[in-house]
Amino acid sequence: MENQSERTKLKSLQIPVKRNMSLIVSTTALGTIADAIFTLCLSWFVLERTGSAFITSAITAITYIVNVFAGPLIGVLVDRTSPKNAMIKAYIALGLIGFILIFFYLFLDDYIIVAVMAMVILNDIAQTFISPSRRRMLPNLVGTDRIAEVSGFLSSAGKTGILIGNAVGGILFSLIGLIGIMFTHSLIFLFAALLSSWLALPKNGIIVNDPESVMVGNQL
């Protein structure tokens, strides 16, 4: 009777490693695809609207500037907060960007280029929250013995996402235009936020490597 109770208790403390692996890889792929489409299509839109290669190249330059200056600070913030909540909020912020740009395109078109630059900065800041949050969560999501394996999947998902995003971005831009692109972009990131909310993390406890699941010392 005691053994059965102990088995039941241990079973209730299991973290679904395989589900977590699927979710974290899926969110990485979705986020990378949406970001690649976003960057490519906005660059084309700005070039088409302004005819200025300098302003268009500024979109890429902004990304590097934000990573250099904001990256270390954001890493510290993630270390002091819940990485899961930080990731979810970052995906939600990314999802709102598309709706904001749609609003400017429809009602404040004279300021659309300014809005694009501002949203590119917001996009890059939000993106900077995701990688450190994912790295910090990974041991708790899959166990320390699976980190190398999952990191390989994440790398492949990221590279594949960039390839797919760049490949379909131009086609989508010509078929559905900026509004369609931004709406699709927002839906993808909001779906990624939903998937991230399903990640199972231990509230407290020590990770114990297990071939099928990760055991923790306290309740989920």
Side-chain angles (χ1 to χ4, degrees):
M1 184 70 176
E2 182 178 352
N3 290 337
Q4 183 178 359
S5 176
E6 184 67 19
R7 285 196 299 269
T8 303
K9 180 180 179 181
L10 290 175
K11 185 176 180 181
S12 68
L13 300 177
Q14 291 180 348
I15 292 179
V17 172
K18 292 183 179 179
R19 191 187 74 172
N20 281 343
M21 288 175 62
S22 299
L23 290 173
I24 198 68
V25 172
S26 298
T27 54
T28 299
L30 288 172
T32 307
I33 291 171
D35 187 57
I37 294 174
F38 175 83
T39 302
L40 179 66
C41 293
L42 278 189
S43 297
W44 286 351
F45 175 78
V46 170
L47 181 61
E48 180 184 88
R49 180 63 66 94
T50 65
S52 172
F54 174 77
I55 296 177
T56 304
S57 64
I59 293 177
T60 303
I62 288 171
T63 300
Y64 290 103
I65 293 171
V66 170
N67 288 335
V68 169
F69 290 100
L73 297 175
I74 290 173
V76 173
L77 289 176
V78 171
D79 288 338
R80 296 181 178 182
T81 59
S82 166
K84 180 178 176 180
N85 290 337
M87 178 180 283
I88 293 172
K89 291 176 181 177
Y91 278 130
I92 292 174
L94 289 166
L96 294 177
I97 287 173
F99 295 121
I100 293 172
L101 287 178
I102 290 174
F103 174 81
F104 272 88
Y105 185 82
L106 293 176
F107 302 106
L108 297 171
D109 188 61
D110 292 340
Y111 302 97
I112 186 65
I113 300 302
V114 176
V116 166
M117 294 302 177
M119 291 304 103
V120 168
I121 294 174
L122 177 59
N123 174 80
D124 293 334
I125 291 174
Q127 289 283 356
T128 310
F129 276 91
I130 294 174
S131 292
S133 298
R134 184 166 53 228
R135 284 195 302 268
R136 188 179 167 199
M137 284 193 297
L138 206 55
N140 287 343
L141 289 174
V142 300
T144 55
D145 59 336
R146 292 177 181 251
I147 291 178
E149 177 186 357
V150 178
S151 295
F153 287 137
L154 292 175
S155 178
S156 297
K159 292 177 180 178
T160 303
I162 292 173
L163 179 64
I164 294 173
N166 289 332
V168 304
I171 298 174
L172 292 176
F173 188 69
S174 63
L175 292 177
I176 59 180
L178 182 67
I179 292 179
I181 287 291
M182 290 301 100
F183 187 73
T184 303
H185 164 273
S186 293
L187 289 183
I188 291 175
F189 275 123
L190 292 177
F191 183 57
L194 178 63
L195 293 182
S196 297
S197 69
W198 292 343
L199 292 169
L201 283 168
K203 292 181 180 179
N204 294 294
I206 300 174
I207 296 298
V208 178
N209 294 326
D210 185 88
E212 295 298 329
S213 61
V214 178
M215 309 297 296
V216 297
N218 293 291
Q219 291 183 350
L220 292 178

